[in-house]
Amino acid sequence: MEYWDIYSVDGSKTEKKVLRGNKMNEGEFHLVVHIAIYDQNGNLLIQKRTLNKESYPGYWDFGVGGSAVCGENSQQAAQRELFEEVGILYDFSHQIPLFRSYGIHSFVDFYAIQYDGNICDFVLQTDEVEKVKWVSQEEIYKMIENDVFIPYHKSIFGLIKEMSHNRGLHRRK
């Protein structure tokens, strides 16, 4: 059983908890993390979701991620999810998210890292991840159009890539 901390709309942790899958009230949120992983050539790691996933089974997705469990902060959840899903140990303790996105009952902290190792080094969590591969941004756009990739707003990929190199909203001179 997995429990999540409940946060208010302003991002403050409340004293409430919820069992994953249980209904949440209006104005209640749980924390989710998403980590984009780039190689030295600027390609993005994507993963094919297993058919047993609750949302978008069999679709391709970028990076790794998931919900923070009770007691975890954003950085701890990012570190755990990255290790669980692809076997990469990375210290997020001094890294802040690139940005936060809000959903109906969740807010998602986005991170980006560079991985210079070999794709063969990944240890996949086989109940969640079927396979992984490196792709360009243009390949992702084609996959979205062909309905084999989760239908994200295409602009998210450029935003994450730009912000991972130039933190903040402005380009550096």
Side-chain angles (χ1 to χ4, degrees), residues 55-77:
S55 63
Y56 297 104
Y59 276 69
W60 287 91
D61 194 1
F62 76 98
V64 300
S67 296
V69 295
C70 278
E72 282 184 326
N73 64 30
S74 179
Q75 291 82 359
Q76 291 166 333

Side-chain angles (χ1 to χ4, degrees), residues 38 77 87 139:
Y38 291 95
E139 290 173 280

